[in-house]
Amino acid sequence: MLLISLFSFRFFKENLAFISFIYMLAILLILALASANDSCPGASVQVTDKNVEKGKYQKCTTLETLTFADTVKTIGESAFEECTGLKGTITFPDSLTSIGANAFYGCSSIQNIVFSNGIEQINESAFANCGAISTFGSIPTSLNLLGKSAFENCSALTSSLTIPDDLLIIPERAFYGCSELSGLVLGRNVQLISKEAFYDCIKLSLQRSSYGNYYPSSLTRIEDFAFFNCSVL
């Protein structure tokens, strides 16, 4: 017994730094898990923060319904990313001006979106892989920045798009794989339609705008595969 005790003491003494490291790692893991649980409020939440923090509700898969107070101004990067239980209609308040990159990425059960009139920015992959979204009303006329892959693989989206006049660039893969998208009206100031912007939008038809043309005089470039496999065009 004495030999065992001496051996145990010697092992502990010689490996004290390693044991302390493992102990601290375990504590940090427990704290991280506790913090993650605190950020997931349950099945329903009303967001009142003026600026919703980056990743605040990320992967809160139990979240089902979501409402926004009129005070919300920005939604941060990945704020609701992969909240796969989120469903129904998401209505954004008029106070909202910016939706961050990946904000609703992979929210595969959202069915409808109602945009506010004040939104100026929808950033990269904000609604990518939201395969159940079927309508979002109309793109707000206030929009002046649309990020790459913003609506990529929204394969149930049936809305007819009207690109607002303040949006100069339709970015790469913006509506890639939106196979049910039915119509497109280009804004009078669009300058660039980027690579693969409407790739595989097989039901898409170009519609005449209020200024009388299918393509605006401002358009200077359509990049490779922008309308690839758009068989109706």
Side-chain angles (χ1 to χ4, degrees):
M1 289 293 293
L2 180 60
L3 286 174
I4 293 173
S5 297
L6 288 172
F7 176 79
S8 299
F9 176 76
R10 183 177 178 181
F11 176 83
F12 180 82
K13 183 178 179 181
E14 291 178 352
N15 295 277
L16 181 59
F18 177 73
I19 293 170
S20 298
F21 171 76
I22 295 298
Y23 178 73
M24 290 302 298
L25 196 63
I27 291 175
L28 289 172
L29 181 60
I30 292 170
L31 290 174
L33 289 172
S35 177
N37 289 336
D38 288 343
S39 67
C40 293
S44 179
V45 65
Q46 182 181 36
V47 179
T48 58
D49 300 345
K50 181 178 180 181
N51 300 297
V52 183
E53 295 177 2
K54 175 181 178 180
K56 182 166 185 179
Y57 300 98
Q58 187 176 13
K59 295 185 179 180
C60 289
T61 56
T62 57
L63 184 60
E64 295 181 1
T65 58
L66 182 64
T67 56
F68 291 92
D70 292 336
T71 53
V72 178
K73 188 174 178 63
T74 65
I75 297 174
E77 180 181 340
S78 300
F80 299 93
E81 182 178 345
E82 294 186 359
C83 290
T84 54
L86 196 57
K87 57 188 177 181
T89 299
I90 305 295
T91 302
F92 295 112
D94 288 339
S95 57
L96 186 68
T97 60
S98 177
I99 300 175
N102 302 301
F104 292 89
Y105 179 96
C107 292
S108 54
S109 299
I110 296 176
Q111 296 167 314
N112 304 291
I113 294 173
V114 179
F115 285 119
S116 64
N117 294 322
I119 293 181
E120 298 174 359
Q121 298 183 0
I122 299 175
N123 287 281
E124 182 173 338
S125 299
F127 296 95
N129 291 338
C130 293
I133 294 177
S134 60
T135 62
F136 56 51
S138 60
I139 297 177
T141 57
S142 53
L143 189 72
N144 57 51
L145 186 148
L146 185 66
K148 173 183 174 182
S149 301
F151 294 94
E152 182 172 338
N153 289 328
C154 290
S155 54
L157 187 60
T158 58
S159 296
S160 181
L161 295 177
T162 298
I163 303 299
D165 290 342
D166 287 344
L167 189 65
L168 306 184
I169 296 173
I170 301 175
E172 184 177 336
R173 300 171 72 98
F175 297 94
Y176 183 106
C178 295
S179 54
E180 295 296 317
L181 201 60
S182 58
L184 173 65
V185 178
L186 294 172
R188 66 176 65 246
N189 296 314
V190 172
Q191 298 174 3
L192 170 65
I193 302 176
S194 301
K195 183 174 70 173
E196 300 179 343
F198 296 96
Y199 190 106
D200 252 356
C201 294
I202 59 176
K203 296 183 179 180
L204 187 67
S205 63
L206 197 61
Q207 299 172 358
R208 194 183 298 273
S209 66
S210 59
Y211 52 83
N213 298 322
Y214 291 101
Y215 294 101
S217 59
S218 58
L219 185 64
T220 60
R221 187 176 180 186
I222 300 175
E223 292 188 339
D224 292 344
F225 306 110
F227 293 100
F228 181 84
N229 205 27
C230 296
S231 54
V232 179
L233 288 179

